[in-house]
Amino acid sequence: MEHLTVAQSQSEINEDMSLKNHPPEKDTDKDTSMEPPTSPRHRKVLARWLPDEAQRPIVDEAPVFSPSLEEFEDTLAYIEKIRPLAEPYGICRIIPPPTWTPPCRLKEMGIWGCTKFPTRIQNVDLLQNREPMKKKPKSRKRKRRRNSRMGSSRRRSTSASGSGSGSGSGSSPSEPASSPEAEEKFGFNSGSDFTLEEFEKYAQHFKEAYFEKKDSVGETKWTPSVEEIEGEYWRIVEQPTDEVEVYYGADLENVVLGSGFYKKGDRDMDQYVVSGWNLNNLPRLPGSVLSFEDCDISGVLVPWLYVGMCFSSFCWHVEDHHLYSLNYHHFGEPKVWYGVPGSNATALEKAMRKHLPDLFEEQPDLLHGLVTQFSPSTLKDEGVQVYRVVQNAGEYVLTFPRAYHAGFNSGFNCAEAVNVAPVDWLAHGQNAVELYSKETRKTSLSHDKLLLGAAYEAVKSLWELSASVGNENTTNLRWKSFCGKNGTLTNAIQARLRMEEERLVDLGRDPSSLVKMEKDFDSNCERECFSCFYDLHLSASGCKCSPDEYACLKHSDDLCSCEEKDRLVLVRYTMEELRSLVRALEGEADDLKIWASKVLGIEHNDEDQNNTSSVIKEEEEEKLKEGSFDLNIDLELDCQEDVKEEVSTSGELNTSENFTASVEPINLGFLIFGKLWCNKHAIFPKGFTSRVKFYNVLDPTRMSYYISEVLDAGLMGPLFRVTLEESPDESFFNVSPQQCWEMVLQRVKHTSTNLGLATSPRLESIDGLQMFGLLSTSIVQAIEALDPNHKLVEYWNHKKQTQSERKDHFISSNCSVSLTKGKLFGVDLM
């Protein structure tokens, strides 16, 4: 995409004469008529074309692609297809099929002749050859600069609309510069406001005047070729002899002119409104990870317009977060682009620093300002790969991650651009945020939020594809293609996991002793490192002394000087959970079940699944469902009292010698007669829910209730979940009730260690079936009554063969239940 930065730069040549001959301009916002060329708005064009001194760079052409109608239907699939061929160039041109002729809404007369847009003034002769601002004499230009409008084109996503950067909104041409500091940064002053109709007339006037040729008769009009304009442009940039001043309507936000494409709601839903090549749709297409960004960030997810004239320029830059960009040329004369592949980005930066040392010394982040042009010829001489593209009306230009690009317009035209992030961008985006952190540069996006959003979507797709046959569609098959043992998305999550692990090790914290952050930790406000602005969606370091300030793991020790016991590290997921996510993306069934439940938020229950092994007659199922809520419990549960605990003076967690699981049944659920819904020792009714007390994972010095549930994971069988009742975010999933409760136990042990508590040896093991209540005599009897015909063969065969063994197991379970005749969920207990 193109970008402009607004700072200061105005003509010094003939300023006194200009002010004398042309009085101060009036309020042009009230005058929509075309003004004569002698007006201050249309100063006389003094500079002239010098064809004999042309400096046209000789660089190779970037590739050009012409998709077929079929290829053109899927935008992201086509970008993915041409990427191996085009990415080594950093830039390419895409010519749509001849039938692709989207109408341009900007040509509606209500917009074309009536809607004004702001412009910036560019001094083309100062884009490369200029003195640093501190060395520049300040006696001149002061008067005109006070009447300029200043700003910045750096966009920031702290609000949904972005900064507006190049639009010039928020002040008028007569307002002073915002601060003295702004005058010390080179850039582009604000120009007049134009309608498209007015700008076209002025652009034509400028070009005709500039390229006039004198012959024996006198001056004649001349229509130069793109190559002739290109040679003159680089002559002005590299070896200027006159001041050349042009206007550019760049970085125009949607609120100014709006998109050149019609959007949903503007007109009937035709092919142009719904197409992925409509730049309003592109960023959030299925398969673009930008679709997981909630805010409509201006210029990133909402397209920007660019209205150009001859010589108006976009200087060398890369996209925010090293994103892809796609630019569409709506109408007008060609745009000339130059691209450098991402693999040569460092070489370009090195070359520009070498040749412009004074500018970089004064402004180390010069390339972030987007105000410096540099000769492709010089870059080529320095060994940098540079490629050229000439974009005509109706064509697209695609730029790749971290590919520097620059260019200029050969005459009046209008283009539109937006960013996009296919899954292969994730690795580039990760590099970008690490680079931003080193440079202490603010981010525009939460990279980790996009990364996890992509992982969640992939889990959903893998789940859909595993749940039933014939459920394939373009979206879930595309996400599946990024998964697997060496998938693009799998590798991105794996790389981020390794990075997080290394930082925790460097921090010296036990990964198992970290605190889970609230799910909405960064939902309502931006969370970034106080030191380097690193995004804190995945982890954050904090301290009691400053509850509203956080650091990234790299700068945790710089946050404050408090003792370690007063500091905490918040994590969205534990390292084991992230490892499980990697395994889920690799296709491990057990981990996929766990993450599918996390992502979906509810039990997976597809009533249309073709699973004949678990078919239940509708009448029987309804009867069982009704019975599952019959809580007529008339029991005398002779269980031991809740465990009382206290912390001794030695820091040991003292408990009674034998732990008693007093399980309270809540919902019996109903049976699914499939192989996975039982084992030798227990039956697992779908919807079964129970309640039991155990050590609190957040504070092991007290007991709290946990809810144990059996969820439906479709064809993959039951999924077990244990949740701390008072803190629903503390939830543990697994395909085994044993493993589920072992996760709880391990968490208790880790927290105890972190708090300096010595745990009792009896906490070394736990019985998951017991904790669920699936070994409790009363609950077992009620569940068995649901299967009078013994359809769950594995369970009943084992029960008959090992009756005595089962009895011994119940005795050793330490849950003594003395029953009188009663009912549990409507089942008679004997």
Side-chain angles (χ1 to χ4, degrees):
M1 290 173 64
E2 309 167 32
H3 302 260
L4 290 179
T5 294
V6 182
Q8 59 102 44
S9 173
Q10 189 68 41
S11 168
E12 295 184 24
I13 301 175
N14 299 323
E15 179 171 15
D16 294 336
M17 182 181 295
S18 175
L19 291 174
K20 180 178 179 180
N21 295 337
H22 307 301
E25 75 176 323
K26 298 180 182 179
D27 184 358
T28 58
D29 288 337
K30 296 180 181 179
D31 184 8
T32 60
S33 63
M34 175 61 186
E35 297 172 346
T38 55
S39 74
R41 182 180 181 186
H42 302 142
R43 298 183 183 90
K44 187 175 181 180
V45 181
L46 301 177
R48 286 295 183 273
W49 180 28
L50 300 177
D52 294 338
E53 299 179 20
Q55 296 289 324
R56 180 172 178 258
I58 306 301
V59 296
D60 293 336
E61 298 291 319
V64 181
F65 298 93
S66 299
S68 65
L69 274 174
E70 183 179 1
E71 291 173 319
F72 199 70
E73 289 179 358
D74 191 328
T75 311
L76 291 185
Y78 188 70
I79 291 174
E80 185 177 350
K81 179 178 181 178
I82 66 174
R83 180 173 64 86
L85 300 173
E87 190 169 24
Y89 297 85
I91 191 171
C92 70
R93 179 161 58 116
I94 300 173
I95 303 175
T99 54
W100 177 257
T101 56
C104 183
R105 61 173 292 277
L106 301 176
K107 292 187 177 181
E108 293 179 0
M109 279 311 300
I111 300 174
W112 183 264
C114 301
T115 303
K116 292 199 171 190
F117 61 90
T119 64
R120 299 301 183 189
I121 299 172
Q122 293 181 320
N123 285 83
V124 184
D125 54 299
L126 298 179
L127 292 179
Q128 177 176 310
N129 293 291
R130 62 178 185 270
E131 291 292 325
M133 298 307 299
K134 293 179 181 178
K135 296 181 180 180
K136 202 172 183 67
K138 298 182 180 180
S139 58
R140 306 170 77 179
K141 295 174 55 173
R142 283 289 183 185
K143 185 171 183 179
R144 187 171 297 175
R145 199 158 57 225
R146 281 199 301 270
N147 293 328
S148 299
R149 179 167 68 216
M150 318 295 281
S152 171
S153 75
R154 291 278 305 282
R155 63 163 110 68
R156 181 73 187 110
S157 63
T158 50
S159 67
S161 62
S163 66
S165 40
S167 67
S169 57
S171 58
S172 66
S174 62
E175 290 177 348
S178 58
S179 67
E181 290 77 9
E183 298 189 2
E184 299 307 316
K185 284 189 176 183
F186 177 82
F188 309 124
N189 281 342
S190 296
S192 300
D193 290 353
F194 291 84
T195 64
L196 287 165
E197 184 177 36
E198 293 169 343
F199 196 82
E200 180 184 31
K201 290 178 181 178
Y202 177 64
Q204 290 174 345
H205 157 73
F206 171 89
K207 188 172 181 180
E208 289 173 1
Y210 191 93
F211 286 95
E212 279 180 343
K213 296 179 68 175
K214 290 185 178 180
D215 53 22
S216 58
V217 179
E219 292 185 354
T220 60
K221 292 183 180 180
W222 178 262
T223 303
S225 67
V226 171
E227 288 71 27
E228 288 172 323
I229 296 172
E230 185 179 23
E232 177 65 6
Y233 174 79
W234 286 108
R235 181 197 71 78
I236 299 168
V237 172
E238 295 183 66
Q239 299 176 359
T241 54
D242 295 292
E243 179 188 75
V244 178
E245 183 180 276
V246 297
Y247 292 102
Y248 199 12
D251 296 355
L252 298 178
E253 293 186 281
N254 223 274
V255 294
V256 182
L257 287 174
S259 172
F261 292 96
Y262 284 96
K263 297 185 289 187
K264 298 173 184 178
D266 290 340
R267 55 187 289 158
D268 293 337
M269 301 285 282
D270 60 22
Q271 61 166 325
Y272 303 113
V273 171
V274 300
S275 172
W277 295 95
N278 181 324
L279 299 191
N280 296 290
N281 304 328
L282 178 66
R284 298 189 188 277
L285 288 178
S288 169
V289 298
L290 283 178
S291 61
F292 307 115
E293 170 58 51
D294 297 329
C295 297
D296 287 332
I297 303 171
S298 180
V300 178
L301 286 111
V302 178
W304 272 348
L305 276 177
Y306 300 87
V307 183
M309 60 178 288
C310 188
F311 300 146
S312 59
S313 310
F314 47 103
C315 298
W316 287 106
H317 68 283
V318 296
E319 296 300 304
D320 283 357
H321 289 261
H322 301 171
L323 290 159
Y324 285 73
S325 75
L326 190 66
N327 181 295
Y328 181 70
H329 191 321
H330 281 289
F331 56 80
E333 299 186 63
K335 298 173 77 75
V336 180
W337 296 68
Y338 305 93
V340 170
S343 59
N344 277 224
T346 302
L348 176 144
E349 294 165 358
K350 183 178 179 180
M352 290 185 67
R353 290 179 188 277
K354 174 183 175 181
H355 287 270
L356 303 173
D358 292 341
L359 296 182
F360 276 94
E361 181 181 0
E362 180 181 66
Q363 191 177 345
D365 63 345
L366 184 65
L367 286 171
H368 299 164
L370 304 111
V371 294
T372 305
Q373 200 66 294
F374 196 72
S375 168
S377 298
T378 307
L379 289 175
K380 185 178 176 182
D381 291 342
E382 291 292 336
V384 180
Q385 298 175 33
V386 187
Y387 301 95
R388 175 179 179 267
V389 164
V390 177
Q391 181 190 22
N392 302 298
E395 297 176 350
Y396 289 91
V397 165
L398 177 68
T399 71
F400 290 84
R402 211 189 175 187
Y404 272 96
H405 47 284
F408 67 93
N409 299 290
S410 66
F412 172 68
N413 59 27
C414 178
E416 183 170 356
V418 78
N419 291 119
V420 65
V423 173
D424 66 85
W425 163 82
L426 285 169
H428 301 285
Q430 187 67 61
N431 291 336
V433 293
E434 300 306 320
L435 180 63
Y436 285 9
S437 174
K438 291 179 182 178
E439 297 175 346
T440 318
R441 181 181 174 188
K442 282 182 172 286
T443 60
S444 300
L445 300 161
S446 169
H447 182 82
D448 285 334
K449 185 182 293 184
L450 301 185
L451 180 64
L452 290 176
Y456 300 156
E457 192 66 26
V459 165
K460 290 180 184 178
S461 295
L462 292 175
W463 187 255
E464 288 177 5
L465 292 168
S466 67
S468 61
V469 178
N471 202 28
E472 299 88 354
N473 56 55
T474 303
T475 299
N476 58 32
L477 289 175
R478 171 173 283 152
W479 282 106
K480 181 182 179 182
S481 70
F482 303 128
C483 301
K485 290 288 185 181
N486 198 34
T488 305
L489 177 56
T490 309
N491 289 341
I493 296 288
Q494 180 73 67
R496 185 67 182 93
L497 167 62
R498 286 196 299 267
M499 190 181 299
E500 199 75 352
E501 283 182 312
E502 290 171 1
R503 289 171 182 171
L504 284 171
V505 170
D506 292 341
L507 192 59
R509 299 289 184 93
D510 181 357
S512 62
S513 66
L514 310 180
V515 179
K516 277 288 195 79
M517 64 173 60
E518 297 291 333
K519 288 184 179 179
D520 59 352
F521 174 71
D522 59 347
S523 298
N524 302 317
C525 62
E526 191 175 68
R527 300 287 192 183
E528 57 187 14
C529 176
F530 83 103
S531 176
C532 68
F533 304 119
Y534 198 85
D535 175 68
L536 304 179
H537 182 72
L538 196 60
S539 59
S541 179
C543 183
K544 295 179 180 178
C545 73
S546 51
D548 296 325
E549 194 169 42
Y550 295 91
C552 68
L553 298 184
K554 294 181 294 184
H555 295 107
S556 177
D557 293 336
D558 301 330
L559 184 61
C560 64
S561 57
C562 296
E563 295 182 15
E564 188 170 316
K565 65 181 180 63
D566 294 323
R567 301 158 92 180
L568 70 158
V569 175
L570 302 174
V571 294
R572 188 165 297 275
Y573 294 115
T574 66
M575 292 300 102
E576 180 51 41
E577 285 178 308
L578 291 177
R579 293 188 197 100
S580 173
L581 177 57
V582 171
R583 293 193 297 268
L585 296 176
E586 289 176 339
E588 293 293 332
D590 291 350
D591 294 284
L592 180 59
K593 275 174 44 172
I594 293 169
W595 276 92
S597 183
K598 284 179 182 287
V599 170
L600 296 172
I602 56 174
E603 60 179 294
H604 183 79
N605 182 20
D606 187 350
E607 297 298 338
D608 296 324
Q609 290 179 7
N610 182 22
N611 185 6
T612 56
S613 64
S614 61
V615 173
I616 302 176
K617 291 182 180 180
E618 184 176 349
E619 298 83 358
E620 183 178 359
E621 180 173 338
E622 289 301 318
K623 180 179 179 180
L624 292 174
K625 283 183 178 180
E626 293 175 2
S628 67
F629 292 97
D630 181 8
L631 299 181
N632 296 325
I633 304 176
D634 184 15
L635 305 174
E636 295 179 7
L637 299 179
D638 185 19
C639 294
Q640 298 181 22
E641 292 294 319
D642 293 336
V643 179
K644 307 297 182 182
E645 70 288 331
E646 61 181 9
V647 180
S648 69
T649 55
S650 64
E652 181 178 357
L653 185 63
N654 295 327
T655 67
S656 57
E657 183 176 357
N658 294 317
F659 177 75
T660 301
S662 179
V663 182
E664 173 190 345
I666 296 176
N667 190 341
L668 190 62
F670 57 92
L671 300 189
I672 293 181
F673 299 114
K675 181 179 179 181
L676 299 174
W677 290 89
C678 71
N679 63 19
K680 294 178 180 180
H681 305 292
I683 295 172
F684 311 127
K686 173 182 174 180
F688 175 84
T689 308
S690 62
R691 191 167 179 253
V692 68
K693 268 194 174 183
F694 192 64
Y695 300 103
N696 190 302
V697 293
L698 302 177
D699 179 10
T701 63
R702 62 190 181 89
M703 305 290 284
S704 297
Y705 279 107
Y706 290 80
I707 302 297
S708 301
E709 302 169 89
V710 180
L711 307 178
D712 183 0
L715 291 181
M716 303 180 74
L719 181 68
F720 300 89
R721 177 168 65 189
V722 175
T723 306
L724 182 61
E725 189 174 54
E726 65 188 53
S727 182
D729 287 342
E730 297 298 329
S731 195
F732 304 84
F733 296 82
N734 206 282
V735 294
S736 159
Q738 178 66 30
Q739 291 297 319
C740 214
W741 269 101
E742 282 187 3
M743 292 168 66
V744 177
L745 175 58
Q746 291 302 314
R747 181 69 181 281
V748 169
K749 291 168 64 177
H750 292 322
T751 306
S752 299
T753 302
N754 191 42
L755 295 176
L757 303 174
T759 57
S760 170
R762 67 168 188 76
L763 286 178
E764 290 301 315
S765 63
I766 196 169
D767 191 320
L769 290 175
Q770 173 194 337
M771 297 302 290
F772 263 79
L774 296 174
L775 299 183
S776 171
T777 305
S778 59
I779 296 174
V780 169
Q781 287 184 7
I783 291 174
E784 288 179 344
L786 299 177
D787 187 15
N789 297 321
H790 295 192
K791 292 183 179 180
L792 294 167
V793 178
E794 182 180 10
Y795 172 79
W796 289 107
N797 285 348
H798 189 264
K799 183 179 177 69
K800 293 175 182 178
Q801 294 171 4
T802 59
Q803 191 69 39
S804 59
E805 183 181 339
R806 294 281 296 170
K807 183 177 181 181
D808 292 341
H809 184 81
F810 275 114
I811 294 174
S812 64
S813 68
N814 292 320
C815 182
S816 60
V817 181
S818 175
L819 302 172
T820 59
K821 184 177 180 181
K823 286 188 176 183
L824 177 60
F825 300 109
V827 177
D828 289 327
L829 302 176
M830 301 302 294

